[in-house]
Amino acid sequence: MSAEGAAAQRLSRGASGLRHLRWAREVLATLEAHVEHNTALSGADREALQGEASALAAAVQALSGAVKPYRDFLERTRVRYRGRVRVAEYLVRESNAGEAGGAVRAHLGAARAHLEEALVELAWMEQAQRQPLKAALSDEIDRLREALARMDAHLAGRLSGKFVESLYPPLTDGATRIADDGDPDDDATSSLR
């Protein structure tokens, strides 16, 4: 397979950490299945694959350790700040819809001040909490991708490029997620490219 074809089978760097984790786990499971079920492998090849599986498992574990705090942050902390902004935006809209008058203008002013405060706190949270978590996750994604590239080069030299390609699951258009045709429980359900 050409280098261009091989690159097309790799998940986009822009895919989320969670999708990278799923992708890496799929590759690891396939690598382990080769070790367990590919009877054409020599003993030396099987040992080499076991070593690659151990190294990849460590990279998957490290990525998992960065994905969880980031996902928890997004799903627990960040939503609270975003919810507050939505309430403030609602109050501003409702205040704008009221009749003209001193009381309405005062209410609108308070609503706008509340919105400004909510936006400032959201921006602070993004800077102080999200950015460090996202940076740590990005670093682990890069380390995982480097580990996979090393594994690919080693295995292509030892076995073949076709063998390396057998490790990777099919991806959707844009290579942003694994193709899971027919699985309604997967957010990545989509047709193969």
Side-chain angles (χ1 to χ4, degrees):
M1 180 172 266
S2 71
E4 184 178 293
Q9 287 295 316
R10 302 309 180 258
L11 191 69
S12 166
R13 175 57 181 87
S16 71
L18 191 58
R19 288 188 175 144
H20 271 86
L21 185 58
R22 163 78 189 285
W23 178 61
R25 285 179 173 156
E26 291 269 353
V27 173
L28 179 58
T30 307
L31 186 60
E32 290 170 339
H34 269 294
V35 170
E36 293 175 25
H37 303 289
N38 184 343
T39 57
L41 292 172
S42 70
D45 287 342
R46 193 173 308 284
E47 278 186 44
L49 291 180
Q50 287 171 329
E52 295 295 341
S54 293
L56 182 54
V60 166
Q61 186 62 35
L63 178 59
S64 180
V67 166
K68 182 172 181 4
Y70 185 67
R71 295 301 311 173
D72 285 348
F73 166 78
L74 290 178
E75 295 170 6
R76 293 189 175 125
T77 303
R78 186 170 181 248
V79 296
R80 292 177 59 220
Y81 285 85
R82 290 168 46 104
R84 182 171 177 211
V85 167
R86 282 191 298 278
V87 167
E89 289 170 340
Y90 167 79
L91 294 172
V92 168
R93 279 192 310 274
E94 287 301 303
S95 295
N96 276 331
E99 295 179 23
V104 171
R105 281 192 299 275
H107 187 64
L108 179 57
R112 286 182 177 158
H114 182 70
L115 175 58
E116 181 61 31
E117 182 181 319
L119 289 171
V120 165
E121 287 184 10
L122 177 65
W124 171 86
M125 176 273 308
E126 291 282 335
Q127 176 76 26
Q129 296 179 37
R130 184 180 189 185
Q131 286 183 5
L133 290 169
K134 191 168 185 157
L137 177 58
S138 182
D139 290 347
E140 287 304 331
I141 288 171
D142 289 342
R143 281 192 271 282
L144 170 76
R145 293 179 73 87
E146 290 166 6
L148 286 167
R150 280 191 303 274
M151 178 193 77
D152 291 353
H154 181 248
L155 293 179
R158 182 176 190 94
L159 297 164
S160 71
K162 286 183 181 182
F163 179 87
V164 170
E165 287 306 308
S166 79
L167 301 174
Y168 290 87
L171 303 173
T172 63
D173 289 335
T176 59
R177 35 184 190 222
I178 294 169
D180 282 314
D181 284 343
D183 185 354
D185 293 329
D186 194 306
D187 74 334
T189 297
S190 181
S191 297
L192 297 174
R193 56 182 155 102

